[in-house]
């Protein structure tokens, strides 16, 4: 009961009684290098900026400036991190000095760094776009703080090396996405948010349940540790259940068939820039998590599930693209295109192997860029044509040729036609599918691409080339803030399409790193396993 | 022998408290008015606190104290909120 | 520092909460008390009473006694097979003036089982009390007037 | 060097985009110059490729995919390259005059050059994937070129159909090529060409063949994929002349010829290619006769000629291949010139409808002559190049290659097709240039400008020269091309005009005379001017295509969405939960799931009773949630309380404290919200609930049971199975010694897993922010907009009694309580401080402290009301929140200074006067951040909700008052 | 149960007695809550609990720990104080709330008082 005395004497006693056991086993002794700080910096950076923005709620005029500068900084940091990782392997920052698996490990490997960088780029583009899209009231509602924290969540999810911590970041980005989704609180927005919210919350709960089970089975939450222990436990522990739960939870996040309905139900409601952000980030986080868990932690289970995954993937592709064909609302159409893209990525995961995973990663990155850009395009189209439905929308080509050209490129890119970034991952995926002899999967992949071409072609013909029936009014001027990010992203997809070599090489290394996470483990546990 | 007696008596006390809580709960469920339910909740809180104290005696452990204290100090807040809700239809005007 | 008395009381409470009365801790408690008082300084009217410890003790004793008596009474009443109840509300003319006294009185009345103060009239003159056994309101009024109210006045009237 | 072939056109197309749109001449000249440069380049290269020489250029592009930028020019590629560039030059020249002033010229030429580049890419690429890339590029660019006049609906349709067909073909071809690469082990063309046998004997041969043929046949508009070509005629004539006669449609046959050495010569090849070719040859010619549109006629004749080439390639004999190559060239020349002629006619008369055109000879004699020569070549009249290749075709047709029915009918089909060809050529000339002078033409026809005619003159000249002295002109080039395809299998052949009297010659004469006869037989019918051929009019490929497309995209997609794409929440929820249960259960039971036996020992009756109560509360709450919110909320409070006791019982007091505080705050917040919800819903009596609803409820109930059961099963499994060496034990033993605290949970929260905490508090702040933002634009439900009933009654009561002024009721009501509630504030503050300071040693910590403090504020608000409090209290929750977040994050970064990792807590002890030693674990700083953040967030939500009550009555005061008047 | 054996017999018995009595009081209070016919009568029931039950049980605890010497015994005092301060507030508020509600709804079991000011004239 000695502890029951005053708290201060108590602690003094605690201090005076020098720690009985030797800490060096459990503590990081060497101070972390600046490079390792790069791992944690993006998240903290976003959080701090978010806090600052909240604090200066009064003068909203400064918000965009700070946010954009901050996002640019984020891009810079992530870029440095990526370079660092490329140069000398995965980096690990251990939280609070406690060595993993006791402390939380933040580990950036190629996959995480790549995703983070592209996400940051997307966010930066969105930040610029938002100048024109988010009015003062939107800023007062706290668009920019939400954006920042969303980025914190996304980046954290990409970087963390700890399953529960992953859950935490999922929550962060989920909640901030609510905030962004209801921005402006129109009726249908709230309606969409309710659906989005409920289903995603259930998914997150599922994730939590699975994680609890995981902890009970493995006795650790550290990914590298789990990856190590998986071999030993595979015999008796029901890891398949874990795999199933995780697949469902993350599949839900990624809007894979048959749990994809929340996406088209909600993505067309919020501000354009918000849906663009979501298109770029949210589903892809789910994909990332799926890759991380199923490929790196539970590879054998992925093998066993691969057929189910493949089925789900094909259905997702088909449902998505058919949905896109059926839509007349520009943004709903795009929503379905996201889904079919997700299907392709899932196909990659199902196929597995460096080819499949690499293709999946590449496709994910490509889709992040292109879908965001397409949502920008939808926003601009709505500005120009004053309508969201491609039935009434027309004559965009005549109104703004440059914009039309950019949109066309994006249409081709999303359909996976050369020379845009969509072509290569498709080739990789088809190749991988053929290599394991999954003809039908390859066929579905290409069929989906083909149908996407039809859908986007229809979109372009109706909304852009078709002349306006009624007399064309004065075309509203396009603020550069809307066109610039669109152009930038489009250019990026074009460049990635023309010269994908460096990215491709990196991605294949990343896939290899997931396939054999020894380097990852090495960076988490430099001196072998702790006793 | 005393020890056994003590144990039993404490256990008995706890059971009684639990029963008390059960009655309170019954009142909550039964109603008939909203205020009855709230009253029941309030009683439930107090009984719970006593239960904690008894628990403390049983285990000679003081971890219960924070909780008991907070119930004693703030347990009435929700009851008040309910009461005011019944009274005014909203609790902060 | 017009809240000194209260602050001291808070300090004592602090000592009690953190179960230690070392000067350091008390100082800390005082600081905390001061802080939390300062936060709501604009809400409170300073109250200053001449403290009469002895009277307080008497009041406390009375309270305990009343408690014991009425508690048993009501307990028996409740546990009876058939409860002979004549509940009702009677108005009690207040002589105590200040908010604090009224509050205290009301609380004490409420705390003693069998009686329950439900309301105060707008002009702080009447206190409405609900009694389980309201056969004879006059007697009840007498009790209160003789008992609590007197003690309270003794303790706090200046 | 070969790279220039690609760089020049693409670069040029980029440059052209920047030309001002009024500079038609300059633009055209620039484009023409580029084309011409390429042409000269090709000419210059010729010496290298003679005699099977191959020019290579390699550049690592994407080694990961086995894709190098390999350019490879052999004779065949050279021939094509020359064709492309030469005709390119001519078409540019032609287009310069053809395009109207209002058309955006730079875009046209940009696309034109881009197409030229990608076409060159197709022929030059020495790597299969590269080939596929350029292939798709041609499809894309042709899409844009066809849709160049996008304001015209036909153009849009044509563009879409073309893109769809060729795109589909390209995709399937891609698979085929990938498969080839898989068989061969390399995508390099050389390697592929080298391993013909390997491919032909591979089990994958058939799929490969089908896939690639699909690509090739769609591209060169072979039956039954031909229909996109006539629709593509909506394009500007130069485009038709270039893409749809000379180059792009040839890409398909080019591919066939390219892969001829590796794929051809098998039964399957013969059947598929031959069948497609023959049917195309015949039907194309047949359809061509009945077109009313000049370009339509030419389009169908193109189709049939492509069919001819295909047939030649199908035969699989070297000579046939020679003929094919030869005909490719010839067809390009005369068909391009014919298209241009048609374009001129269109340009000068304003119509292309043969029913309106006639007797143009007297207006444009020169053009007419040129057209006549060209169409004579098309018809295969001697002394023209068309005649030569057709002769060779007939010769090959007679030859027996494989003994089967198809081979036997070939010559007859060939002759008939030739006859048709003569017919439609004749019709073209006769109906346009002869007969009565035209009536009601949009324009007055006359000769086109000099240079517009020049390309035609040149091409027609080529036809003549090649037709008369083939051996000396085209011979050597043809030879190089053929050699590059056939290698040592090259046969010896003679390009002489005169082979003496032989069967082919007879066939030709039959065709010629028969054609002429046929034309004069059919004149009457044709004069009626019915669009489309008699028999097949109804069967139109594109109609079928459209129907398929519509069914797919519209009907199926729609129905699919209606079936699955429910936009309602419940079914999705149902589905999700169901999936979750199955996802967990199925593998569990497939793997055999044995439950460890349940052992029951030492149940504490009191505890058991408590739990029974808790369960009752929870169930009751769930049951009442829909019908009686307040009740449900009360029960919820009960359940929370039991949980809290349980925590204490299982000696987790820290959790208990937090749980309790959260419980209280939640209750109050929900009550705040409850005021805005519509009044309670009465449960409909059980007997009048429809059966369907009952069923649905039952189903949902069962599902819920399953889910809950599954959860408890997992929990049971988890708790009963032997725990692996976990890190939990580690936490416990380290908590005091290193965490610098005795409260495990708190130490874990702020120290071991402080990072999670950081994330979670960020979540909290975001929630608060969101609630705040949401409520800024809150529009309450109509029946809750008004101030609550009770208040109205009480206000009314006050108003009735003269001795009372408004708001007395509330004043009296709160008189005694508010005194106490206010005095509670400092006490609460102390409690909070206590919890906070002890936090790192005993239950509590920043989180609990923050909540406790916010409860203090809550009390103030309840006692005094919003306005009253905010007059007296300084409350800046947003600021507190952000500061909290900042402090917490900064603490983490702070450890950088000390050279520790993120969020390291260093327990130093500062000695303050009197107070003595105080531990300043930076974890306490972190805690401070958490405290401030939690406080801020909670108060923010509270205020956001409370302000609604302040705003709403103000907004709806008037109706309320009038109602009150009415009440009195 | 080491600590309980540490208790001297008298203390043990005292503790048990107090505890049992307190619990009994509480139980009785709840029974009252259960049995009393009208809401206003029920309002009285918890006071038994708070006054009787709380004080007794807390005394028990104080005694126990005081004898055990394990710590200061002010906590229970604090608890008692807080309970005594806060309970009446709840009860009063509830009482008035129901008064107003009854005045509004006018069900059968309204006590003889119709609103807080009916008595003025009765005085």
């Amino acid at each position: 009961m000695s502890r029951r005395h005053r708290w201060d004497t108590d602690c003094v006693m605690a201090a005076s009684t020098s720690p009985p056991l030797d800490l060096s086993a459990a503590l990081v002794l060497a101070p972390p290098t600046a490079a390792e700080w790069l791992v944690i910096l993006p998240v903290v950076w976003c959080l701090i900026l978010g806090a600052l923005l909240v604090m200066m709620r009064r003068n909203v005029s400064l918000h965009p400036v700070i946010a954009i500068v901050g996002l640019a900084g984020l891009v810079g940091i992530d870029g440095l991190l990526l370079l660092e990782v490329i140069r000398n392997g995965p980096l690990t920052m251990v939280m609070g000095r406690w060595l993993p698996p006791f402390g939380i490990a933040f580990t950036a490997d190629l996959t995480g760094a790549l995703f983070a960088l592209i996400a940051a780029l997307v966010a930066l583009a969105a930040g610029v776009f938002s100048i024109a899209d988010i009015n003062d009231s939107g800023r007062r509602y706290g668009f920019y703080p939400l954006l920042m924290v969303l980025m914190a969540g996304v980046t954290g999810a990409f970087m963390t090396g700890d399953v529960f911590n992953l859950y935490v970041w999922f929550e962060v980005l989920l909640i901030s996405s609510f905030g962004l989704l209801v921005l402006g609180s129109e009726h249908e927005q709230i309606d969409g948010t309710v659906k989005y919210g409920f289903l995603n919350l259930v998914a997150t709960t599922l994730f939590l349940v699975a994680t609890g089970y995981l902890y009970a089975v493995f006795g650790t939450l550290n990914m590298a540790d789990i990856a190590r222990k998986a071999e030993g436990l595979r015999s008796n522990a029901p890891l398949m259940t874990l795999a199933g739960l995780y697949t469902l939870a993350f599949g839900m996040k990624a809007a894979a068939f048959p749990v994809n309905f929340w996406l088209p139900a909600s993505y067309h409601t919020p501000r354009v820039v918000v849906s663009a952000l979501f298109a770029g980030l949210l589903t892809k986080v789910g994909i990332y998590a799926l890759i991380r868990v199923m490929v790196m932690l539970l590879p054998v289970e992925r093998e066993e599930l691969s057929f189910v995954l493949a089925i789900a993937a094909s259905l997702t592709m088909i449902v998505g693209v058919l949905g896109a064909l059926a839509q007349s609302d520009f943004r709903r159409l795009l929503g379905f295109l996201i889904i079919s893209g997700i299907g392709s990525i899932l196909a990659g995961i199902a196929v597995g192997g460096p080819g499949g995973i690499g293709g999946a990663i590449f496709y994910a990155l490509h889709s992040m860029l292109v879908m965001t850009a397409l949502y920008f395009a939808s926003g601009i189209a709505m500005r120009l044509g004053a309508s969201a439905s491609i039935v009434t929308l027309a004559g965009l080509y005549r109104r703004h040729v440059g914009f039309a050209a950019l949109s066309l490129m994006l249409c081709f890119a999303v359909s996976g036609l050369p020379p845009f970034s969509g072509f290569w991952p498709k080739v990789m995926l088809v190749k991988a599918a053929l290599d394991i002899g999954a003809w039908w999967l390859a066929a579905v992949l290409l069929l989906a691409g083909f149908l996407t071409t039809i859908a986007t072609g229809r979109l372009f013909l109706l909304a852009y080339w078709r002349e306006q029936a009624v007399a064309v009014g004065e075309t509203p001027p396009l603020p550069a803030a809307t066109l610039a990010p669109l152009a930038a992203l489009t250019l990026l997809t074009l460049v990635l399409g023309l010269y994908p070599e460096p990215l491709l090489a990196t991605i294949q290394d990343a896939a290899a790193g997931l396939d054999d996470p020894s380097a990852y483990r090495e960076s988490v546990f430099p001196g072998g396993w702790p006793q | 022998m005393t020890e056994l007696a003590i144990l039993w008596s404490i256990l008995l006390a706890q059971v009684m408290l639990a029963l008390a809580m059960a009655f309170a709960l019954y009142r909550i469920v039964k109603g008939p008015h909203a205020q009855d339910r709230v009253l029941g909740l309030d009683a439930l809180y107090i009984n719970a606190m006593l239960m904690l104290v008894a628990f403390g005696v049983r285990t000679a452990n003081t971890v219960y104290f924070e909780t008991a204290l907070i119930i004693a100090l703030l347990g009435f807040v929700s009851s008040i909120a309910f009461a005011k809700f019944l009274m005014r239809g909203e609790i902060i005007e | 520092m017009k809240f000194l008395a209260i602050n001291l009381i808070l300090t004592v409470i602090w000592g009690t909460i953190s179960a230690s009365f070392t000067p350091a801790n008390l100082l800390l408690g005082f600081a905390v008390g001061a802080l939390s008082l300062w936060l709501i300084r604009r809400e409170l009217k300073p109250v200053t009473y001449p403290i009469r410890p002895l009277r307080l003790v008497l009041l406390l004793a009375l309270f305990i006694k009343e408690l014991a008596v009425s508690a048993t009474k009501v307990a028996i009443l409740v546990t009876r097979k058939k409860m002979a109840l004549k509940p009702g509300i009677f108005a009690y003319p207040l002589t105590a003036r200040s908010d604090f006294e009224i509050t205290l009185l009301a609380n004490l009345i409420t705390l003693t089982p069998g009686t329950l103060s439900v309301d105060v009239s707008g002009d702080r003159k009447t206190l409405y009390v609900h009694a389980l056994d309201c056969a004879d309101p006059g007697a009840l009024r007498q009790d209160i007037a003789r008992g609590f109210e007197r003690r309270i006045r003794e303790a706090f009237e200046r | 060097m070969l790279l220039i072939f690609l760089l020049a056109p693409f670069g040029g197309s980029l440059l052209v985009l920047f030309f001002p749109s009024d500079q038609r001449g300059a633009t055209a000249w620039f484009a023409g110059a580029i084309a011409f440069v390429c042409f000269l380049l090709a000419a210059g290269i010729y010496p290298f490729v003679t005699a099977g020489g191959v020019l290579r250029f390699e550049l690592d592009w994407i080694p990961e995919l086995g894709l190098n930028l390999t350019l490879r020019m052999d004779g065949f590629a050279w021939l094509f390259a020359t064709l492309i560039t030469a005709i390119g030059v001519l078409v540019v020249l032609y287009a310069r005059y053809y395009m109207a002033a209002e058309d955006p010229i730079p875009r046209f030429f940009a696309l034109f050059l881009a197409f030229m580049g990608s076409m060159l890419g197709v022929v030059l690429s020495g790597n299969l994937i590269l080939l596929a890339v350029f292939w798709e590029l041609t499809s894309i660019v042709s899409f844009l070129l066809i849709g160049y006049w996008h304001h015209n609906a036909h153009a849009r349709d044509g563009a879409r159909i073309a893109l769809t067909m060729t795109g589909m073909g390209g995709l399937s071809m891609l698979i085929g090529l990938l498969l080839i690469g898989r068989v061969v082990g390399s995508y390099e063309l050389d390697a592929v060409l080298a391993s013909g046998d390997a491919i032909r004997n591979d089990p994958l041969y058939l799929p490969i063949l089908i896939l690639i043929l699909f690509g090739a046949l769609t591209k060169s508009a072979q039956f039954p994929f031909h229909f996109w070509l006539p629709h593509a005629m909506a394009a500007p004539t130069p485009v038709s002349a270039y893409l749809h006669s000379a180059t792009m449609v040839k890409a398909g046959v080019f591919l066939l010829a390219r892969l001829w050495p590796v794929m051809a010569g098998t039964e399957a090849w013969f059947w598929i290619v031959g069948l497609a070719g023959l049917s195309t040859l015949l039907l194309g010619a047949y359809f061509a006769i009945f077109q009313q549109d000049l370009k339509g006629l030419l389009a169908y004749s193109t189709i049939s000629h492509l069919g001819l080439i295909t047939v030649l390639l199908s035969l699989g004999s070297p000579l046939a291949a020679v003929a094919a190559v030869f005909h490719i060239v010839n067809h390009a020349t005369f068909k391009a010139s014919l298209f241009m002629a048609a374009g001129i006619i269109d340009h000068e008369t304003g119509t292309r409808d043969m029913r309106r055109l006639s007797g143009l000879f007297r207006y444009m004699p020169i053009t007419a002559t040129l057209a006549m020569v060209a169409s004579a070549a098309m018809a295969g009249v001697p002394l023209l190049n068309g005649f030569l290749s057709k002769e060779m075709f007939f010769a090959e047709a007679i030859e027996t290659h494989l003994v089967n029915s198809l081979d036997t009918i070939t010559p007859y089909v060939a002759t008939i097709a030739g006859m048709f060809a003569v017919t439609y050529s004749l019709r073209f000339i006769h109906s346009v240039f002869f007969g009565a002078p035209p009536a009601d033409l949009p324009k007055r026809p006359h000769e086109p400008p000099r240079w517009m005619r020049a390309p035609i003159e040149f091409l027609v000249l080529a036809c003549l020269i090649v037709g008369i002295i083939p051996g000396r002109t085209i011979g050597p080039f043809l030879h190089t091309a053929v050699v590059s395809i056939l290698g040592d299998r090259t046969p010896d052949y003679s390009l002489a005009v005169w082979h003496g009297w032989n069967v082919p010659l007879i066939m030709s004469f039959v065709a010629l005379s028969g054609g002429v006869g046929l034309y004069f037989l059919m004149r009457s019918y044709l004069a009626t001017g019915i669009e489309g051929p008699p028999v097949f009019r109804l069967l139109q490929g594109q109609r079928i295509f459209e129907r398929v497309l519509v069914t797919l995209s519209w009907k199926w997609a729609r129905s699919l969405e209606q079936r699955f794409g429910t936009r309602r929440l419940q079914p999705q929820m149902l589905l999700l939960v169901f999936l979750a249960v199955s996802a967990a259960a199925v593998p569990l039971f497939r793997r055999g799931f044995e439950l460890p036996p349940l052992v029951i020992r030492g149940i504490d009756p009191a505890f058991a009773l408590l739990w029974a109560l808790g369960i009752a509360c929870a169930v009751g709450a769930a049951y009442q949630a829909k019908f009686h919110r307040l009740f449900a909320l009360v029960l919820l409070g009960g359940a929370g309380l039991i949980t809290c006791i349980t925590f204490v019982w299982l000696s987790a007091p820290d959790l208990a404290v937090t749980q309790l505080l959260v419980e209280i705050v939640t209750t109050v917040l929900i009550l705040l919200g409850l005021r805005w919800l519509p009044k309670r819903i009465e449960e409909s009596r059980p007997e009048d609930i429809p059966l369907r609803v009952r069923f649905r409820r039952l189903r949902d109930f069962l599902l819920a049971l399953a889910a809950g059961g599954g959860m408890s099963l997992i929990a049971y499994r988890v708790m009963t199975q032997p725990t692996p060496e976990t890190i939990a034990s580690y936490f416990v033993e380290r908590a005091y010694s290193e965490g610098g605290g005795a409260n495990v949970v708190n130490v874990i929260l702020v120290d071991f897993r402080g990072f999670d905490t950081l994330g979670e508090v960020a979540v909290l702040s975001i929630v608060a922010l969101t609630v705040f933002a949401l409520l800024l634009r809150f529009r309450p439900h109509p029946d809750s907009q008004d101030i609550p009933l009770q208040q109205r009654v009480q206000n009314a009561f006050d108003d009735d009694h003269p001795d009372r002024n408004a708001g007395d009721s509330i004043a009296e009501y709160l008189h005694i309580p508010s005194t106490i509630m206010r005095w509670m504030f400092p006490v609460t503050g102390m409690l909070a401080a206590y919890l906070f300071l002890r936090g790192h040693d005993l239950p509590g910590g920043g989180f609990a402290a923050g909540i406790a403090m916010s409860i203090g504020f809550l009390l103030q608000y309840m006692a005094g009301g919003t306005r009253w409090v905010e007059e007296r209290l300084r409350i800046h929750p947003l600021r507190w929140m952000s500061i909290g977040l900042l402090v917490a994050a900064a603490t983490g970064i702070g450890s950088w200074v000390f050279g520790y990792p993120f969020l390291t807590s260093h327990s130093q002890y500062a000695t303050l006067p009197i107070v003595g030693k105080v531990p300043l674990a930076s974890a306490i700083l972190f805690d401070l951040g958490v405290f401030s953040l939690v406080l801020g967030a909670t108060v923010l939500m509270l205020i956001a909700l409370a302000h609604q009550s302040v705003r709403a009555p103000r907004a709806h005061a008037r109706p309320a008052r009038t109602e009150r008047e009415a009440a009195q | 149960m080491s600590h309980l054996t540490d208790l001297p017999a008298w203390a043990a018995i005292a503790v048990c007695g107090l505890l049992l009595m307190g619990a009994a009081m509480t139980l009785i209070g709840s029974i009252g809550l259960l049995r009393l016919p009208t809401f206003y009568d029920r309002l009285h029931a918890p006071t038994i609990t708070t006054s009787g039950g709380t004080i007794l049980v807390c005394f028990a605890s104080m005694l126990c720990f005081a004898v055990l010497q394990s710590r200061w015994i002010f906590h229970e005092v604090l608890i008692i104080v807080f309970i005594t301060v806060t309970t009446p507030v709840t009860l009063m508020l509830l009482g008035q709330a129901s008064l107003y509600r009854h005045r509004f709804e006018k069900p059968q079991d309204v006590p003889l008082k119709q609103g807080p000011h009916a008595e003025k004239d009765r005085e």
Side-chain angles (χ1 to χ4, degrees), chain B residues 3 6-7 9 20 26-27 33 35-36 39 46-47 49-50 57-58 60 62 64-65 72-73 79-80 87, chain E residues 1 3 5 12 16 20 26 30 33-34 39 42 49-50 61 71 75-76 79 90 93 98 100-101 109:
Chain B
E3 183 180 340
I6 298 168
L7 268 182
S9 52
Y26 174 81
R27 181 48 69 190
H33 308 301
Q35 50 265 44
D36 285 302
L39 190 60
I46 296 171
N47 297 355
M49 183 206 71
L50 291 180
V57 175
R58 174 179 169 184
T62 51
Y64 71 89
F65 165 60
L73 183 57
S79 314
I80 289 185
M87 167 83 185
Chain E
M1 285 305 176
H3 67 284
T5 48
C16 297
L20 284 173
T26 316
S30 302
L33 192 63
L34 196 62
F39 173 73
R42 286 183 218 118
T49 313
T50 50
S61 158
R71 65 178 175 91
H75 292 159
E76 285 75 3
I79 291 178
T90 323
L93 285 185
S98 64
Y100 280 99
R101 279 168 73 86
D109 61 346

Side-chain angles (χ1 to χ4, degrees), chain A residues 321-322 324-326 333 337 390 411-412 414-417 446-462, chain D residues 143 160-165 167-168 171 545-546 548-550 552-554:
Chain A
V321 73
L322 286 185
L325 281 169
L333 189 154
L337 284 187
I390 61 176
C411 289
F412 287 143
V414 77
S415 317
L417 296 176
L446 288 176
L447 179 63
F450 166 62
L451 291 177
T452 315
T453 321
I454 295 183
T456 50
R458 174 164 156 268
L459 167 68
F460 189 75
L461 292 170
L462 288 179
Chain D
F143 166 76
R160 194 183 82 246
I161 298 174
L163 179 66
T164 330
M165 291 311 296
M168 181 155 58
L171 288 173
F545 168 81
E546 288 292 342
V548 169
L549 211 57
V550 167
L552 185 69
S553 71
W554 205 245

Side-chain angles (χ1 to χ4, degrees), chain D residues 31-59:
Chain D
I34 288 177
F36 195 61
V37 168
C38 294
F39 173 67
L40 290 183
L41 198 61
I45 289 178
Y46 179 64
F48 297 97
V49 294
T50 43
V54 174
L55 209 58
R56 270 201 198 68
F57 170 83
E58 288 214 17
L59 180 73

Side-chain angles (χ1 to χ4, degrees), chain D residues 249-267:
Chain D
V249 289
K250 297 288 197 323
V253 285
F254 168 81
L255 186 69
L256 291 183
R258 235 321 149 222
L259 297 178
W260 193 85
V262 284
M263 313 270 301
T266 64
E267 191 83 4

Side-chain angles (χ1 to χ4, degrees), chain C residues 3 6 10-11 13-14 17-18 23-24 27-29 32-33 36-37 39-40 42-45 47 99 102-103 106-107 119-122 124 127, chain D residues 804 808 812-813 815-817 819-820 822-823 825-827 829-831 833-835 837-838 853 857 860 868-869 871-874 913-916:
Chain C
F3 293 122
I6 303 156
L10 288 177
T11 315
I13 296 182
W14 171 263
I17 295 183
S18 59
L27 199 64
L28 190 68
V32 173
S36 47
L37 277 175
L39 269 177
I40 55 163
R42 283 201 217 63
E43 293 193 16
L44 304 173
K45 299 174 289 309
V47 286
D99 280 357
I102 297 178
T103 311
N107 271 14
D119 200 357
V120 190
S121 66
R124 318 239 171 285
L127 183 70
Chain D
R804 302 164 62 84
D808 266 1
E812 297 168 5
Y813 171 55
H815 173 233
I816 295 172
T819 323
I820 293 177
R822 273 180 208 134
W823 283 110
F825 182 80
V827 183
M830 310 212 72
L831 181 74
Y834 164 75
L835 288 175
L837 284 178
R838 284 176 73 125
M853 197 65 208
F857 282 100
Q860 294 307 302
W868 192 89
V869 171
E871 284 160 11
R872 292 166 176 72
L873 268 181
R874 296 233 173 294
I914 320 161
V915 181

